[in-house]
């Protein structure tokens, strides 16, 4: 009896798969047929390097559910109008291999436009018709040619500023690793002891969009005050923290102990706040470490109440629902009152109402619902107070 049921179930599932596949078959055939020759990415890349033609990589798997509608009518003729090599890659078979491994957020299908020097110019995961596809190709090809021209200029000259110009142009592409490599090469050749303020600012502006250069990080550490003066403290801290996290990730050391050690040594006074931001993200990643996440979120709210509300809002949503100790509730009430003093909003008022309710001031809390709703409606938002769920639980 069990065998009969299983056989019938398998038969039904197979029929459903065949029927559903028939609706997507034209899309599958059209995309799979975009590549005339069956070559690996390495082979296509070698050919692209030889004739200096960019690559259009179609990341598509016929065995995986399609994420976007296929309304292409003349896709092959559109591709023919551009001077590119085309390759169709079943990215599901090898998601971490190049080039698909460098594209975060791949969907089925996705598209990559790649310079012949293996520089990822542009990516897209939502193209579904000829107009969108044409615009993607046109924009990507223009940028790819810009990069190619900069490479030609760099190869013609021994002037290191040509490398900086290439790094600057390449920050417009998807490939920030390549931009960082160009910046690293520039700093290797440049006389960093004679960099004036204007040039330093140019370097740091490029570095903000290409923050993985070891020499750039060293340049900042050698004269951090001047780096801050020509840009801003936020710019330098962002640049440094991204570099540190990327460096630790490459070394498989992206853990709180190592992050704090580097932050404390390199970021100075701001190490604590930036570390807590890292820790909140780290402890909220599944599997969530609830107690540690709560502790970091609570402490951040207490120590850095002047941070942007958009960030603090998420932290309040972590701690307020689970806080029960009276002393902690009172601390949070004082903190949210400060936020309301800075800029009143329906979310802040709602958090305060919840805290008052938990502190036993239930009537006062319930009277705040009208003010919360009015504040939300003034901003065109229909809002449901957190108190509704809290009162239902009792």
């Amino acid at each position: 009896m069990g065998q009969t049921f299983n056989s019938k179930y398998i038969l039904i599932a197979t029929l459903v798969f065949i029927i559903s596949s028939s609706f997507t078959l034209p899309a599958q055939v059209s995309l799979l047929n975009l590549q005339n020759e069956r070559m690996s990415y390495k082979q296509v890349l070698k050919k692209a390097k030889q004739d200096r033609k960019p690559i259009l990589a179609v990341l598509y798997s016929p065995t995986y559910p399609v994420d976007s509608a296929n309304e292409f009518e003349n896709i092959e003729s559109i591709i023919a109008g551009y001077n590119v090599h085309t390759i169709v890659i079943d990215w599901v078979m090898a998601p971490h291999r190049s080039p698909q491994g460098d594209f975060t957020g791949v969907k089925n299908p996705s598209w990559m436009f790649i310079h012949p020097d293996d520089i990822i110019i542009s990516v897209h995961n939502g193209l579904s018709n000829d107009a969108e596809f044409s615009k993607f190709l046109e924009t990507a090809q223009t940028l790819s040619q810009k990069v190619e021209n900069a490479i030609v200029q760099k190869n013609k000259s021994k002037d290191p500023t040509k490398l900086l110009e290439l790094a600057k142009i390449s920050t417009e592409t998807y490939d920030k690793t390549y931009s960082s490599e160009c910046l690293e090469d520039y700093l290797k050749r440049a006389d960093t002891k004679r960099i004036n303020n204007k040039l330093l600012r140019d370097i740091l502006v490029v570095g903000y969009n290409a923050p993985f250069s070891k020499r750039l990080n060293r340049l900042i550490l050698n004269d951090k005050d001047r780096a801050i003066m020509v840009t801003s403290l936020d710019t330098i801290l962002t640049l440094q923290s991204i570099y540190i996290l990327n460096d630790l990730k490459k070394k498989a050391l992206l853990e709180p102990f190592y992050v704090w050690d580097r932050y404390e040594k390199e970021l100075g006074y701001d190490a604590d706040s930036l570390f807590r931001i890292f820790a909140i993200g780290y402890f909220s990643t599944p599997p969530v470490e609830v107690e540690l996440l709560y502790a970091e979120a609570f402490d951040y709210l207490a120590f850095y109440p002047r941070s942007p509300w958009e960030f603090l809002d998420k932290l309040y949503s972590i701690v307020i629902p689970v806080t029960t100790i009276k002393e902690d509730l009172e601390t949070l009430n004082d903190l949210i009152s400060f936020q309301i003093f800075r800029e009143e909003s329906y979310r802040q008022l709602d958090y305060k109402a919840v805290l008052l309710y938990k502190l036993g001031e239930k009537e006062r809390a319930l009277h705040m619902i009208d003010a919360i709703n009015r504040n939300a409606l003034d901003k065109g938002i229909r809002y449901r107070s957190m108190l509704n769920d809290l009162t239902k639980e009792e």
Side-chain angles (χ1 to χ4, degrees):
M1 183 72 177
Q3 281 186 328
T4 304
F5 174 79
N6 287 338
S7 299
K8 286 181 179 178
Y9 181 84
I10 293 169
L11 178 60
I12 291 168
T14 304
L15 288 171
V16 169
F17 175 77
I18 291 170
I19 292 168
S20 62
S21 297
S22 66
F23 291 108
T24 58
L25 191 59
Q28 293 173 357
V29 170
S30 66
L31 295 183
L32 289 173
N33 289 343
L34 293 180
Q35 183 178 352
N36 294 325
E37 301 177 68
R38 291 293 127 190
M39 294 194 297
S40 68
Y41 178 70
K42 284 186 177 180
Q43 291 172 322
V44 173
L45 183 60
K46 183 179 179 180
K47 196 171 181 182
K49 285 178 182 290
Q50 290 171 348
D51 56 25
R52 305 308 293 172
K53 288 183 182 179
I55 300 167
L56 172 66
V58 186
L59 309 183
Y60 174 70
S61 177
T63 61
Y64 198 77
V66 176
D67 289 305
S68 56
N70 187 327
E71 300 172 5
F72 299 112
E73 295 180 2
N74 302 300
I75 189 168
E76 291 186 25
S77 61
I78 291 171
I79 293 173
Y82 291 85
N83 200 20
V84 297
H85 290 291
T86 307
I87 180 171
V88 181
I89 300 171
D90 191 341
W91 63 276
V92 173
M93 300 300 291
H96 303 298
R97 189 178 297 170
S98 184
Q100 61 269 21
D102 298 316
F103 181 11
T104 55
V106 175
K107 291 187 178 180
N108 196 42
S110 288
W111 314 80
M112 301 180 77
F113 198 95
I114 304 168
H115 182 274
D117 285 344
D118 202 17
I119 307 161
I120 303 172
I121 298 296
S122 188
V123 300
H124 207 298
N125 57 18
L127 301 173
S128 60
N129 58 57
D130 290 354
E132 293 173 351
F133 184 59
S134 294
K135 186 176 180 181
F136 169 74
L137 283 181
E138 182 181 358
T139 304
Q141 190 178 59
T142 300
L143 182 52
S144 182
Q145 189 58 53
K146 249 177 104 173
V147 172
E148 176 69 5
N149 293 341
I151 289 173
V152 170
Q153 292 300 313
K154 182 262 295 182
N155 291 338
K156 282 182 179 179
S157 173
K158 293 182 180 180
D159 182 358
T161 57
K162 298 297 181 184
L163 259 171
L164 183 61
E165 185 63 25
L166 174 58
K168 182 180 179 181
I169 290 170
S170 65
T171 59
E172 299 175 35
T173 74
Y174 183 85
D175 204 330
K176 306 310 177 192
T177 300
Y178 177 76
S179 305
S180 298
E181 289 170 355
C182 290
L183 188 56
E184 180 82 354
D185 287 344
Y186 164 72
L187 292 172
K188 191 188 300 182
R189 299 186 194 184
D191 185 354
T192 54
K193 293 180 180 179
R194 297 187 176 183
I195 293 176
N196 60 36
N197 285 351
K198 182 182 181 305
L199 182 55
L200 177 60
R201 186 181 184 283
D202 291 343
I203 292 168
L204 292 170
V205 168
V206 172
Y208 189 81
N209 296 292
F212 309 135
S213 165
K214 186 175 184 177
R215 280 182 167 81
L216 177 63
N217 191 57
R218 192 184 303 156
L219 183 68
I220 292 169
L221 290 174
N222 287 341
D223 196 349
K224 189 170 180 177
D225 289 340
R226 187 160 77 108
I228 293 169
M229 181 188 71
V230 300
T231 52
S232 70
L233 176 60
D234 285 345
T235 296
I236 297 305
L237 290 175
T238 299
L239 205 158
Q240 284 186 284
S241 56
I242 292 174
Y243 171 77
I244 290 170
L245 295 179
N246 182 69
D247 190 43
L248 290 174
K249 184 179 179 181
K250 287 194 294 186
K251 297 172 181 176
L253 296 174
L254 193 57
E255 297 176 7
F257 173 81
Y258 300 105
V259 173
W260 171 248
D261 184 58
R262 288 285 297 274
Y263 275 18
E264 187 180 30
K265 289 176 181 175
E266 300 179 31
L267 302 185
Y269 175 80
D270 296 280
D272 182 72
S273 61
L274 289 170
F275 172 76
R276 290 185 188 280
I277 291 172
F278 163 79
I280 288 164
Y282 182 88
F283 294 131
S284 62
T285 303
V288 178
E289 298 188 46
V290 179
E291 291 183 8
L292 292 171
L293 174 60
Y294 178 90
E296 290 294 343
F298 192 100
D299 286 349
Y300 191 96
L301 290 169
F303 295 137
Y304 306 103
R306 295 184 182 276
S307 298
W309 170 250
E310 290 73 21
F311 181 68
L312 296 179
D313 187 3
K314 297 173 186 176
L315 304 189
Y316 278 108
S317 70
I318 291 170
V319 300
I320 286 179
V322 295
T323 301
T324 55
I325 298 172
K326 184 179 180 182
E327 184 180 350
D328 291 342
L329 289 168
E330 289 173 344
T331 299
L332 289 171
N333 186 42
D334 289 341
L335 290 169
I336 200 65
S337 296
F338 173 71
Q339 297 301 327
I340 292 170
F341 174 77
R342 291 176 75 196
E343 184 181 358
E344 183 176 293
S345 77
Y346 62 94
R347 286 286 287 178
Q348 294 157 346
L349 291 171
D350 202 19
Y351 283 133
K352 184 171 181 66
V354 171
L355 289 166
L356 289 173
Y357 193 90
K358 286 189 168 189
L359 284 166
E361 299 185 44
K362 296 184 178 181
E363 189 173 340
R364 183 182 169 194
L366 293 171
H367 280 158
M368 291 181 67
I369 292 180
D370 285 342
I372 293 165
N373 291 336
R374 281 198 306 273
N375 196 296
L377 286 172
D378 286 344
K379 295 177 174 60
I381 296 170
R382 295 183 64 84
Y383 182 72
R384 177 184 170 85
S385 171
M386 289 177 274
L387 280 175
N388 291 312
D389 295 329
L390 197 62
T391 53
K392 280 183 180 180
E393 292 174 4
E394 297 188 348

